[in-house]
Amino acid sequence: MAGYIVRRLLVSIPVILGTLTLVFLIIHWLPGDPAVMLAGDDAAPDRIEFLRQQLGLDRPLWQQYLSYIWSSVQGDFGTSFANSQPVLNRLIAQMPATLSLAVLSTLFAAVFGVVLGTLSAVYKNRFMDYVIRLVSLLGVSMPSFWVAILLILIFSVHFQLLPAIGNGSFKQLILPAIALGISGAGTLIRMVRNSVLEVIGEQFVLTLRAKGLSEKVVLYQHVLRNALLPALTILGIIVGNMLSGAVVTETVFSRQGLGKMVVDAINQKDIPVIQAAVLITAVITILVNLLVDISYSYVDPRVRKSRS
């Protein structure tokens, strides 16, 4: 297992490097000059040129790229163009809010996805199955920003049960987590349902029933153990979607976090902040998917044997 983890980490290096390169090129190809944005449209050319030199934007693109990669490897993300503050300090300050949102929304998606997906499979082609499949379809189809606005109108404006904006309390985290997690829940419902139905038709399930085991024992101890492997793969992808989806969700709910910070940085073309936020998101996504792969070994002994 240790060798497998080392190999996965080595494979992740070119993935991270490719992500950094792509983000660097996209940001520098976008229209707009950070020096002009900082100085103002009416600033004198000398002032703009001075800012470009201060920000290092006067150097050739390949020099900026090599400097950016080398600094990122050392953990030095530079200083913000907008406020001249260290980018790393801003990341440390904003990361807990986004991680808490991503964790809660993933938990919401996992619980509802597994429970409703299993019920949909157990009650196949019955009323409950049709209702759950409709809920799954709606969850996958509705954009997160539209769900966020709908939740605010219902639970904050109409019933006044939960706050609509801000950070600080658990109540302020509930609506953003639901808005962000509902799409993942819809995806998991469909995946778990199909996977459970496939496993139920296997020969070993018929053998277990023939031995006299109850349906609950067959379902919870044997069927779900095998059916959840595909769901684990989807769950790793969902976590990445949660981190990227936080950009929209945190903006709608006026929450502080990495997503809101990226939106502000894009508006100001604050290149170091954008690059650092994308790098952190990519690293977290890679580590989560590595944890998902490792969890396969504990869910399915056959996977553990193949990696030993």
Side-chain angles (χ1 to χ4, degrees), residues 101 144-145 147-153 156 162-167 171-180 246-256 260:
L101 175 59
S144 59
F145 71 89
V147 175
I149 295 173
L150 188 64
L151 292 174
I152 291 174
L153 290 175
S156 297
L162 295 169
I165 61 175
N167 300 59
K171 284 187 176 182
Q172 292 172 311
L173 193 59
I174 294 177
L175 292 184
I178 295 175
L180 189 57
V247 173
V248 175
T249 305
E250 289 179 350
T251 302
V252 174
F253 287 96
S254 296
R255 287 180 54 84
Q256 296 299 316
K260 183 66 165 54

Side-chain angles (χ1 to χ4, degrees), residues 18-31:
T19 302
L20 293 176
T21 303
L22 186 61
V23 171
F24 177 86
L25 294 176
I26 290 176
I27 292 175
H28 283 79
W29 283 338
L30 289 176

Side-chain angles (χ1 to χ4, degrees), residues 81-101:
F81 287 173
N83 54 26
S84 301
Q85 298 294 320
V87 174
L88 183 58
N89 293 346
R90 294 189 62 187
L91 287 175
I92 294 174
Q94 301 295 337
M95 194 180 303
T98 299
L99 289 180
S100 60
L101 175 59

Side-chain angles (χ1 to χ4, degrees), residues 94-301:
Q94 301 295 337
M95 194 180 303
T98 299
L99 289 180
S100 60
L101 175 59
V103 169
L104 187 60
S105 57
T106 302
L107 184 62
F108 169 83
V111 171
F112 278 86
V114 172
V115 172
L116 294 182
T118 304
L119 289 175
S120 181
V122 171
Y123 295 96
K124 178 185 177 182
N125 295 332
R126 295 164 68 175
F127 178 74
M128 181 178 291
D129 179 29
Y130 295 135
V131 172
I132 294 176
R133 288 163 66 183
L134 177 61
V135 171
S136 171
L137 180 61
L138 291 175
V140 174
S141 304
M142 295 186 297
S144 59
F145 71 89
W146 187 85
V147 175
I149 295 173
L150 188 64
L151 292 174
I152 291 174
L153 290 175
I154 295 175
F155 294 100
S156 297
V157 177
H158 186 70
F159 292 108
Q160 298 183 356
L161 295 176
L162 295 169
I165 61 175
N167 300 59
S169 68
F170 181 75
K171 284 187 176 182
Q172 292 172 311
L173 193 59
I174 294 177
L175 292 184
I178 295 175
L180 189 57
I182 194 168
S183 177
T187 302
L188 276 175
I189 289 172
R190 299 169 65 182
M191 175 63 69
V192 172
R193 179 184 184 275
N194 294 336
S195 185
V196 169
L197 288 176
E198 182 179 350
V199 175
I200 285 178
E202 296 289 341
Q203 290 295 325
F204 78 91
V205 176
L206 298 177
T207 303
L208 293 173
R209 288 171 174 168
K211 290 182 177 181
L213 296 180
S214 65
E215 285 296 321
K216 289 184 177 180
V217 172
V218 172
L219 178 63
Y220 294 115
Q221 294 188 12
H222 299 278
V223 172
L224 279 181
R225 185 180 181 90
N226 291 275
L228 288 182
L229 277 175
L232 284 175
T233 303
I234 296 297
L235 192 61
I237 299 174
I238 286 175
V239 172
N241 293 338
M242 299 299 180
L243 292 172
S244 59
V247 173
V248 175
T249 305
E250 289 179 350
T251 302
V252 174
F253 287 96
S254 296
R255 287 180 54 84
Q256 296 299 316
L258 287 180
K260 183 66 165 54
M261 186 178 69
V262 169
V263 172
D264 295 338
I266 291 175
N267 291 331
Q268 300 168 340
K269 204 171 182 182
D270 195 343
I271 295 176
V273 173
I274 300 173
Q275 292 172 338
V278 172
L279 173 60
I280 293 298
T281 302
V283 170
I284 293 176
T285 303
I286 289 173
L287 291 178
V288 168
N289 281 276
L290 176 60
L291 291 176
V292 168
D293 287 348
I294 293 174
S295 67
Y296 287 166
S297 302
Y298 297 95
V299 175
D300 191 341

